[in-house]
Amino acid sequence: MALAALSPQAAIAHAMLLQASPAVGSTASVPPTQLELHFSEGVEPSFTSVEVADSNGGRYDATGLHTASGDAATLLVPLRQLGAGTYTVIWHATSVDTHKTQGHFSFSVSP
Ligand SMILES: [Cu+2]
């Protein structure tokens, strides 16, 4: 994307990942049953995808991705049962202003 062509306001309007649970790079002792992604602005769940994969490429995101009640900037992703290992999260978000952002991070489970 040509950043120079965007006004500062347009840049602010993108949905950037502010915080995640499990946290980026963290190790969870209890396997989480859902992933929480907190964005800088509301996202459209119908046009947002999140993949959670183990090191073999097996998928652990379950269907039912949705935003939190009353908080369109918080995305909740149900997870299948996670075992010990490292998981990669790849997200593609479309914000309420239709701008698209993407990113990835990892977390680990070590019961
Ligand atoms: Cu934007």
Side-chain angles (χ1 to χ4, degrees):
M1 182 182 297
L3 289 175
L6 295 172
S7 72
Q9 284 188 327
I12 289 169
H14 286 63
M16 306 307 293
L17 183 65
L18 299 179
Q19 191 182 350
S21 177
V24 172
S26 68
T27 298
S29 56
V30 177
T33 58
Q34 74 173 4
L35 177 67
E36 288 185 30
L37 300 179
H38 300 275
F39 289 96
S40 58
E41 70 166 286
V43 297
E44 294 284 1
S46 301
F47 301 100
T48 294
S49 65
V50 179
E51 295 181 12
V52 180
D54 67 9
S55 56
N56 297 318
R59 293 282 294 272
Y60 286 84
D61 47 296
T63 56
L65 168 154
H66 61 283
T67 51
S69 178
D71 181 7
T74 295
L75 192 68
L76 305 175
V77 184
L79 297 174
R80 303 164 72 100
Q81 188 166 7
L82 302 185
T86 298
Y87 297 87
T88 300
V89 178
I90 301 174
W91 56 269
H92 291 81
T94 301
S95 60
V96 291
D97 65 0
T98 74
H99 292 137
K100 297 181 191 303
T101 50
Q102 63 186 59
H104 61 89
F105 65 91
S106 295
F107 68 88
S108 296
V109 174
S110 183

